[in-house]
Amino acid sequence: MPSNETLERFIAMVETNDHAKACEIFYTENSTMQENQATPRTGRDAHVAAEHAVMSRARSVSSQCVRPVFVTDDKVVIRWIFRFEWLDGSVTQMEELAYQRWEGERIAEETFFYDPAQRVPVRSNA
């Protein structure tokens, strides 16, 4: 079970959009990360690489934790809202739930639940 301090540090780092660094610091070496029912990615290095790949395609990112955060034993559920402005000018706004299993102070398993229709970029009117 993560301490409240660790959980708040994790949320704060994601909210500053340093997603790759959050993976480096807060995930176990052999952690898994799964998008809806897709095949899970395994390994912290794979998570970091995936975050770098997404961020390299974005002009700007906004990440917001919607409270409350639910914690029971080693399970944590966080509601996130993300807004990506892509290099081509399109925008993706997503709301998701992250269901996590922590081993001590690090995330060992994480599954994201969201409507996949949200992943379709929309042309910005700006």
Side-chain angles (χ1 to χ4, degrees):
M1 175 175 180
S3 67
N4 189 54
E5 178 183 279
T6 296
L7 192 52
E8 290 300 324
R9 284 185 19 241
F10 169 72
I11 291 167
M13 185 167 287
V14 172
E15 287 186 325
T16 65
N17 303 312
D18 202 348
H19 299 216
K21 188 71 167 175
C23 289
E24 290 173 4
I25 293 173
F26 294 101
Y27 288 72
T28 64
E29 183 178 352
N30 296 312
S31 56
T32 61
M33 190 180 282
Q34 184 176 16
E35 308 275 336
N36 286 331
Q37 300 303 309
T39 302
R41 281 190 305 273
T42 301
R44 182 174 50 222
D45 292 344
H47 310 327
V48 171
E51 293 299 335
H52 281 302
V54 169
M55 295 303 194
S56 72
R57 297 190 320 266
R59 178 177 299 140
S60 67
V61 179
S62 171
S63 306
Q64 176 191 4
C65 171
V66 180
R67 294 178 185 272
V69 173
F70 297 97
V71 180
T72 300
D73 299 322
D74 65 347
K75 304 293 190 301
V76 175
V77 177
I78 303 173
R79 180 178 166 201
W80 294 106
I81 296 176
F82 299 106
R83 185 177 189 281
F84 299 88
E85 183 178 336
W86 303 109
L87 295 175
D88 68 0
S90 64
V91 173
T92 300
Q93 183 152 328
M94 293 183 59
E95 184 171 347
E96 70 181 25
L97 292 178
Y99 180 81
Q100 304 167 335
R101 183 180 64 79
W102 289 66
E103 289 179 357
E105 299 295 304
R106 291 181 180 252
I107 300 165
E109 297 175 23
E110 184 168 44
T111 302
F112 301 109
F113 297 94
Y114 56 85
D115 178 354
Q118 298 178 102
R119 294 187 69 169
V120 178
V122 175
R123 278 282 178 208
S124 175
N125 293 331

